Amino acid sequence: MKFISAFCAAFLAVIPSLQAGVVEYTLDIRETTTSPAGKPVKALTINGGLPGPTLRFQEGDTARIHVVNGLKNEEVSSHWHGLLVPNVEDGVPYVTTPPIFPGKSRTFEFPLKHAGTYWYHSHTGLQEQRGVYGSIVIEPKHGERVKADKDAVLVLSDWTNENPLDVMRSLMRASDWYAIKKGTAQSVLGAAKAGYLKDYFQREKSRLPPMDVSDVAYDAFLINGRPRMDIPAKPGEKIRLRVINAAASTYFYLNSAAGPLSIIAADGMDVQPIRQNRLLIGMAETYDLVVTVPASGAWEFRATSQDGSGKASAFIGEGEEKAAPDIERLNPYSMNVALAAVLDQLDETGQLNDKEALAQEKPRPLPPYKRLKAIQPTTLPKGAPVRRIQVKLSGDMMRYIWTINGTTLTEDSTIPVKKGEVLQMEIRNDSMMHHPMHLHGHFFRLLMEDGPNPKFAPLKHTVDVPPMSKRVIEFYANEEKDWAFHCHLLYHMHAGMMKVLSYDDQGPDHKPSLDLKNENPFYFLLDGNVQSQMTMGFARFMNARDDFGIMWKAGWGHEEGMMESHDGGPPHSHEDMPDVEYEVDLMWMRYINPRWMTVAGYRLTNMMGDEEDTAFAGFTHRLPYMIDFTGTVESNGGLRFGLAKTLQITDRLSTFARVEYDTAQDWMWMAGANYTLTKKLAFITSYDSDYGFGAGLSFRF
């Protein structure tokens, strides 16, 4: 009898594992020509599709996923976003998991400890923007808490026909092309027309760049890889929408023609149901929503980009199409809307509270964090020591450097964590951009002032931190080794906004491994012009803080008559001057912060009065009204000071002026105008004090 009892006990113990089993998938990553925005371009696909397939499991299963790198020259990776997995399976190359080299594969295997809606994506370079992402659905062991008639996965994404590396180069050079393309470029005439001319110059006085809520102008916004999809359904049916924001750099407003959205889960975790008219979802967040299909018709569920530049739609049901309410475009000149969002002046369904104060503005709600409430207590162990740290997010849109605590990942990679502590992180955003911050390997409690009872604080893995605001999160440090913490706006992360939470079990001298090939790389940029009287430009290799390059100016259209001597001697005639005067600076510039840069280099020149080659060093400082001051001292004792200013007249027309004083050449000045034709070309005309009037083309590469 004892043997039989022991056998029965052992059999009952293994029943759960027998029921769960191993669920296998193969994900084959290859380069494919596809056309999500109507133009055939090279993309990265998974199993031939964009997005990759939905991986479906049941809680308690073991996932076994074979990731195949079918690329010829690139490493790949796969991170299981939101899943609690062993450290080595997390999928961040070098930090936790070896990369998958070209032509190779790797098998990931891990138990599925919790249910919900999640996703997977590449953590290598900018591959996520190119198409390496897909969805994960894990059904609860005992069935869904909220029943629905149908289940639909909606993967939101943004699509550009450009190579993402070219996008990154455009962002780093502070190109205004994306704002022009989206219709959000700020200008003097635009501000005057909108009635915000005073605000425009007040912003310039404060040395702030033009406000925008999205960095990139996209060619399409997609749901499950296309701008529009249909979900067959009958009137009265309840549809569970598993919405995943897999976009590289786009927040979306979600709304429906069928009425308010019922939120039943956030980041995979069930929450007490709430209703929301308009829902802002940040990159990497997921929400489970329930929509009840009204009477006969196809009812639009719409995802509108936060900047209003486009949308993607899913039509639920059949028959006459019913459009969702339009989302008003942001007024790029007004700070009122941004401030209203920061102050959260919205009621519980996303409607504006203070209609008197902002009568001219439209509501743009934040995510509904204050209303999210877990279905059971989420309190952490009472006996664990509590440590609170401040995490500061900042950046510079014009330089396109993004930092945590003032440093990029390669400058300072680590936030120390003590195993067994409760770590509270007060995340402060000192920039005018939203940042969706994601923590690997943990769920954190989101603590909101005036939010739900802290006992029921929602569990999340990604949190939106609005401009000039803060969020407080806390988690129990019960893991080991290294875990990434970063902004999930892909280009912000690539520009430095990432740290590694490093557990103390690895010793005091431990430093995380990093993907040095893809962290802080150099980009080649070329900006110049050729005019009828002269040419000038700057070719450089640029990363987060350093520029190494060549700046040139050469002129051949000397003004008629005699030129004053700069050395006290008699005036020079043009017969005395070389056919082409040139000045070429071999230089290194070092970015300190948005107001200061240092510069050093060696100058080659044959300009009259300054024919001696010389070394130089100095700085550039941004003054009020976005005027740049440069001062340098030369090895021969010479000094040079300059002021430069660009003023945007219309979205495509800008004027510029520059004045310099050189102890060898005396005063020099130049003024002109640029008219943008394409992303790479502009028409330029200018007058130079030495070379006179001319016109030609500006170019950017």
Side-chain angles (χ1 to χ4, degrees), residues 369-374 446 448-458:
Y369 296 157
K370 287 187 177 182
R371 303 175 58 228
L372 293 181
K373 190 175 181 182
L446 177 56
M448 296 292 295
E449 295 180 4
D450 303 324
N453 183 335
K455 183 178 180 180
F456 294 92

Side-chain angles (χ1 to χ4, degrees), residues 376-613:
Q376 57 189 12
T378 61
T379 50
L380 302 178
K382 291 184 178 180
V386 178
R387 183 165 62 100
R388 190 180 181 98
I389 63 173
Q390 187 174 102
V391 176
K392 185 180 295 186
L393 312 178
S394 56
D396 184 351
M397 272 296 294
M398 298 186 72
R399 175 74 187 186
Y400 214 77
I401 179 174
W402 296 97
T403 63
I404 296 177
N405 293 339
T407 58
T408 64
L409 175 65
T410 54
E411 292 170 334
D412 184 7
S413 63
T414 308
I415 297 177
V417 179
K418 298 177 181 178
K419 190 176 180 70
E421 70 178 350
V422 171
L423 185 61
Q424 292 184 347
M425 302 173 69
E426 180 183 298
I427 309 173
R428 290 187 172 273
N429 182 1
D430 291 338
S431 77
M432 284 304 296
M433 293 287 294
H434 286 257
H435 298 292
M437 302 304 296
H438 170 51
L439 175 61
H440 288 226
H442 308 73
F443 279 92
F444 52 74
R445 288 173 17 103
L446 177 56
L447 306 178
M448 296 292 295
E449 295 180 4
D450 303 324
N453 183 335
K455 183 178 180 180
F456 294 92
L459 294 176
K460 293 182 94 308
H461 52 62
T462 306
V463 60
D464 168 53
V465 188
M468 307 306 292
S469 297
K470 74 174 183 179
R471 295 281 187 243
V472 178
I473 66 174
E474 69 171 12
F475 63 93
Y476 181 51
N478 60 349
E479 277 291 344
E480 60 179 7
K481 299 184 179 178
D482 296 324
W483 299 92
F485 173 66
H486 61 89
C487 178
H488 224 285
L489 199 161
L490 181 63
Y491 300 101
H492 287 187
M493 180 180 71
H494 197 62
M497 192 172 271
M498 177 175 171
K499 296 295 182 196
V500 176
L501 269 67
S502 189
Y503 275 80
D504 59 357
D505 62 332
Q506 302 171 94
D509 298 325
H510 169 76
K511 291 295 182 183
S513 300
L514 299 176
D515 184 2
L516 296 177
K517 295 186 297 301
N518 287 295
E519 302 298 341
N520 198 27
F522 277 94
Y523 291 86
F524 177 71
L525 305 176
L526 174 62
D527 298 82
N529 64 72
V530 177
Q531 301 179 65
S532 55
Q533 88 281 32
M534 63 183 298
T535 177
M536 59 192 306
F538 190 18
R540 65 200 188 274
F541 288 94
M542 173 184 177
N543 68 0
R545 292 194 186 270
D546 297 302
D547 291 6
F548 296 95
I550 301 174
M551 184 174 291
W552 77 88
K553 178 181 179 181
W556 45 83
H558 294 290
E559 285 283 75
E560 292 298 324
M562 302 293 288
M563 296 187 66
E564 292 294 325
S565 172
H566 302 304
D567 56 8
H572 298 292
S573 69
H574 289 293
E575 287 77 11
D576 300 326
M577 298 179 181
D579 292 336
V580 177
E581 283 191 325
Y582 65 83
E583 184 174 274
V584 178
D585 291 350
L586 309 176
M587 58 195 305
W588 167 44
M589 300 181 72
R590 175 73 175 176
Y591 175 89
I592 307 300
N593 59 43
R595 296 185 182 181
W596 292 94
M597 290 187 73
T598 60
V599 58
Y602 193 81
R603 179 169 297 138
L604 308 172
T605 183
N606 69 345
M607 288 190 174
M608 296 297 294
D610 196 17
E611 295 91 342
E612 181 182 353
D613 298 343

Side-chain angles (χ1 to χ4, degrees), residues 40-82:
V41 293
K42 294 286 187 181
L44 300 183
T45 59
I46 304 176
N47 297 356
L50 190 155
T54 298
L55 310 184
R56 288 188 174 269
F57 306 93
Q58 188 177 60
E59 184 182 7
D61 285 343
T62 294
R64 183 178 295 157
I65 306 169
H66 312 284
V67 179
V68 179
N69 183 355
L71 304 180
K72 294 181 180 179
N73 302 307
E74 292 183 56
E75 299 172 4
V76 301
S77 59
S78 187
H79 165 58
W80 318 103
H81 189 105

Side-chain angles (χ1 to χ4, degrees), residues 41 160-164 166-167 170 177-178 181 216-217 219 679:
V41 293
T160 173
N161 289 330
E162 289 186 79
N163 186 312
D166 290 334
V167 173
S170 298
W177 175 250
Y178 292 138
K181 188 175 178 181
V216 183
D219 295 297
K679 181 181 178 181

Side-chain angles (χ1 to χ4, degrees), residues 205-257:
K205 182 181 179 181
S206 301
R207 295 180 269 201
L208 294 174
M211 183 186 71
D212 200 358
V213 297
S214 181
D215 296 346
V216 183
Y218 282 100
D219 295 297
F221 298 99
L222 310 174
I223 293 182
N224 294 350
R226 50 192 186 273
R228 176 204 164 110
M229 65 170 293
D230 298 298
I231 302 174
K234 298 177 181 178
E237 285 188 323
K238 288 187 176 181
I239 312 298
R240 184 189 192 105
L241 303 178
R242 299 179 181 269
V243 184
I244 301 164
N245 188 351
S249 66
T250 302
Y251 279 72
F252 290 99
Y253 287 113
L254 309 180
N255 66 338
S256 172

Side-chain angles (χ1 to χ4, degrees), residues 266-304:
D267 284 359
M269 296 285 124
D270 286 344
V271 295
Q272 296 187 21
I274 59 173
R275 290 164 67 82
Q276 187 87 3
N277 290 318
R278 182 183 300 185
L279 171 61
L280 181 64
I281 180 172
M283 289 77 80
E285 291 188 298
T286 75
Y287 283 98
D288 285 20
L289 313 172
V290 172
V291 174
T292 300
V293 184
S296 179
W299 301 81
E300 184 184 20
F301 173 84
R302 183 184 296 181
T304 304

